[in-house]
Amino acid sequence: MEERAALLARVSAGHGTEIKDPATGEVIGRVAFGTPGDVAAAVDTAAKAQPGWAALDDQERCAALMRAADAIDAHAEELAYVVSREQGKTMNGLGARYEAAGCAAWVRATASTPLPVEVLVDDGQSRAELHYRPIGVVGAITPWNWPMIIACWQIAPALRMGNTVVQKPSEYTTLTGLAIAAVLNEALPPGVLTAVTGAGDVGDALVRDPRVGKVMFTGSVKTGMKVIEASAGNMPRLTLELGGNDAAIVLPDVDPQAIAEGLFWGAFINNGQTCAAMKRLYVPDAIYDEVVDALAALAAKIPMGVGLDEGNVLGPLQNQMQWNVVNRLVEDAKVRGARVVMGGDPDAAAPGYFYPKTLIADIDNAAPLVQEEQFGPALPIIRYTDLEQAVEWANGVDVGLGASVWSADRDTALAIAARLQAGTVWINSHGGIDPRVPFGGAKRSGYGLEFGVEGLKAVSVPQVISG
């Protein structure tokens, strides 16, 4: 066995459900899915470990997180191998190695973020301070698109604030979830982080457990609504990062060649399987053809294939379900008369869940490919003549995770950004995130903030001390 496969073998079970590589269909391991009873046992472990973990001071917990980041670095190639084999992303580009490195960087940033006591009043007669205390046990339900780094986004701040965590990875990327937990646990005290495996019934049991004081969930709007319903009886705090259908508005003053690369990766990072990826591109008539041509020329040069092939930078979709969604939306666009600039012709008989890089031009804004989140490598490019109409279209969906404005005039771009209904609006880029900068959605894209100081506050209980 090659050395980088050691971690995959370590987290694979000798029995249970077969896990297949989405690029080749090869069986790469097995997972023994858990039950609601396993959730109860995991929460019990976390609840017993929490007082001791919370009793450590902030500096001690941060030091443990720094050691956890070192462990990620030590296993970076093994982690990248696991996520490439199970999720499908390529080793290079914005792929598996990028995700592994991001995990370590994010954990370190979380441990380095200052959170001083806030003095609210100190007028010589009275003093009021705002402190942040642990919640207790946090349930972290993580998705299949970025299964390692999103786990770290949830786990690291929860631990930093003195909570313990029960992590439930997606049933589509369970091995990856187990792998990142195993590596983190090399540096953490026993019981502080516990992973449970399973499908919806296991996640439901975690959300309903009365000992879980906070639930963090990243996934679809539909499942997010189920989390809200299941949690109602116990009223845990919630952070929900749900679906997006991010719009980008290009203004006529840009150079199409200069922005083509930024537009492409804004849409096609992780093969479009990113909540805050660009899903709709609005381009003015004056430069529409130039933008479409520049995107097509760039896309044609981007190699797609099996993730372990070092020359590839885009891989397959992760699962058949998502392949079906992308294919349905693209086929509908064809029927409606939209122009297929490239792609849109998958080989359903080929191994793996590959869907070609697809650009769809001259598509009506009302088409499902525009109005629904495709979550894959198919970008609709909508022509507009009136900027007011483009803003209205951009705001015309029920989600609002991210958006972007592309212009040579920053002041103009900022004015338009202020009118877009999204949690984050980027100027002349799309999808970039920073561990120091809060991130969250508007409308049905969820609520609560992650990252930075606000993310730490979100996994703690505010307490005012007056006197």
Side-chain angles (χ1 to χ4, degrees), residues 228-286:
I228 295 170
E229 293 170 2
S231 70
N234 298 320
M235 293 183 64
R237 289 162 169 79
L238 298 177
T239 294
L240 304 175
E241 196 265 86
L242 308 179
N245 192 0
D246 288 16
I249 299 178
V250 173
L251 300 190
D253 60 1
V254 300
D255 176 355
Q257 296 295 331
I259 66 170
E261 185 171 5
L263 290 175
F264 179 84
W265 287 114
F268 287 86
I269 182 174
N270 198 32
N271 231 19
Q273 298 169 115
T274 298
C275 294
M278 181 195 306
K279 310 288 174 43
R280 303 172 287 151
L281 178 59
Y282 294 97
V283 180
D285 182 72

Side-chain angles (χ1 to χ4, degrees), residues 328-386:
R328 170 179 62 83
L329 293 173
V330 172
E331 290 302 311
D332 175 85
K334 291 180 185 178
V335 171
R336 292 170 181 267
R339 175 165 58 98
V340 179
V341 178
M342 67 180 302
D345 55 347
D347 182 357
Y353 303 124
F354 285 97
Y355 198 93
K357 298 159 290 181
T358 300
L359 299 174
I360 304 293
D362 299 325
I363 184 171
D364 190 275
N365 186 66
L369 180 59
V370 179
Q371 295 299 309
E372 299 178 27
E373 183 182 27
Q374 70 275 48
F375 216 65
L379 178 65
I381 309 171
I382 305 97
R383 187 190 302 263
Y384 76 86
T385 55
D386 177 39

